[in-house]
Amino acid sequence: MNIAIVGVGYVGLVSGACFAELGSTVYCVDKNLQKIEALKRGEIPIYEPNLERLVAHNVQGGRLFFTDELSEVLDRVEIVFIAVGTPMASDGSADLSYVMSVAQTIGEHLNHYVLVVNKSTVPVGTAEQVRTTIRNALAKRGCETLRFDVASNPEFLKEGAAIEDFMKPDRVVVGTDSEQARELMTRLYKPMLLNNFRVLFMDIPSAELTKYAANAMLATRISFMNELANLCEKVGADISAIRAGIGSDARIGNRFLYAGCGYGGSCLPKDVSALIATARENNMSLQLLEAVQSVNQKQKGVLYEKFVSHYKGNVHGKRVAVWGLAFKPETDDLREAPALYLIDQLLEAGCHVRVYDPVAMPAARILFKDRIVYAQDIYETVEDASALFHVTEWKEFRMPDWERVRTLMKAPLLIDGRNVFDSSQLEGFYYLHIG
Ligand SMILES: NC(=O)c1ccc[n+]([C@@H]2O[C@H](COP(=O)([O-])OP(=O)(O)OC[C@H]3O[C@@H](n4cnc5c(N)ncnc54)[C@H](O)[C@@H]3O)[C@@H](O)[C@H]2O)c1
């Protein structure tokens, strides 16, 4: 099949490369010309394991192309995926301006039937808005009889495991109201689901809401565990033991049940917020999710609170080390990362911050410039530090030479935001963790 994917970010580039790998001819379109030119030179603008190889393989195979002009490729495709960003607007709702601008371009240039598919995470009713925008633009050109369909196909991939998730999804959710759209989507996804066909077809509003429901559920589990972890600290219980105790119950399961320093990333915070906004627009409140959100906001400050409380408020001028910046391992994505919040607090308190992350340092340099120091490795980060914060659970932080770390530090205070270290191996450290 010939398809276009508009928006070449974490979702668009992975989807494009994967569909190409499965035999489709894919035109990846982004308005960011620099990104497109870099991709044409074989440079991958994001860090995602194995993506570089997959992109190169499909470019060489003549199945994957990059352009900044949707109008140039629209005539050649049967499906157009919209995979642009839907960031949080100032009122907490999803900013749909990027999605609508793509819809407008489609309406201005469409000359034959296409299926337009929203892969971006968008609130209920967005497919209808996309349809109206395209229809109005067609009408302006006197092309109102031209047929097209709009479908919803929310994406569930996880950064860091995106290719695996895309190629072997737990399920593919498709919202459609047209037989032709259903047939096209079935054809497109068939190669990857041959053995276990799990495309869940449903109506469009349900598909749109399913994505938010999934992220809201994941965020709820995290905030639940974080709040319980804080109670554990008060009553002398251990959140890791509790996780094992409840996670073994098949009704609960043990995934996404980790206490930590709050959820971040490009999805959970904005999607919880957008779902709350959708409810507000419909004159109701989602009280549970409002609590999930405020628990998370508070939790992002927990590492700093532990640090301040350890030094009884005397933290001004202290040198501190931060291991991990990305919102989770195996990505360079810093959006809403707890580390950013922590670093802001530390800088405001007058601390000297030195950081290290295996892949997110270039992105951090853009944000913090020379306000913090960028170390070459985990050991350089901790030199002379009065506290070491472990914020992202990269594998390379798992088994450091603790003796070396301890002797390099000025004061061996280790504050673990991910509960991964074994206190029995931390002789000589003052070890604080969550719950
Ligand atoms: N990142 C994830 O893990 C993930 C997972 C599932 C769903 N999603 C959803 O997928 C969508 C995309 O997320 P992302 O993380 O890939 O975003 P991203 O910010 O990495 O990429 C978005 C891209 O869209 C481009 N763009 C914006 N407007 C455009 C336009 N009019 N024409 C062409 N290109 C345009 C931008 O230049 C950018 O390169 C969002 O709705 C997000 O919520 C993301």
Side-chain angles (χ1 to χ4, degrees), residues 289-307:
L289 287 187
E290 283 170 14
V292 164
Q293 198 175 41
S294 72
V295 166
N296 193 59
Q297 196 49 36
K298 191 158 167 277
Q299 196 67 14
K300 281 183 165 184
V302 149
L303 300 183
Y304 178 72
E305 277 168 29
K306 286 180 187 293
F307 169 59

Side-chain angles (χ1 to χ4, degrees), residues 6-12 29-32 35 83-86 98 101-102 119-121 155-159 211 266-267 270-271 333 335:
V6 190
V8 188
Y10 289 87
V11 167
V29 185
D30 203 290
K31 65 176 186 180
N32 182 334
K35 208 181 231 191
V84 297
T86 47
Y98 303 102
S101 126
V102 179
K119 193 166 255 316
S120 299
T121 303
E155 182 50 57
F156 296 94
L157 63 76
K158 300 183 292 294
E159 284 173 27
K211 173 65 192 179
S266 65
C267 291
K270 82 170 172 60
D271 292 349
D333 198 341
R335 287 177 281 188

Side-chain angles (χ1 to χ4, degrees), residues 18-19 22 155 163-169 171-172 187-199:
C18 289
F19 280 134
L22 294 165
E155 182 50 57
I163 294 170
E164 174 83 2
D165 285 350
F166 195 91
M167 291 298 216
K168 295 182 190 158
R171 77 309 204 186
V172 172
R187 225 164 15 105
L188 179 69
Y189 275 109
K190 203 152 199 164
M192 62 201 257
L193 300 166
L194 271 180
N195 296 330
N196 191 359
F197 202 61
R198 286 153 300 180
V199 177

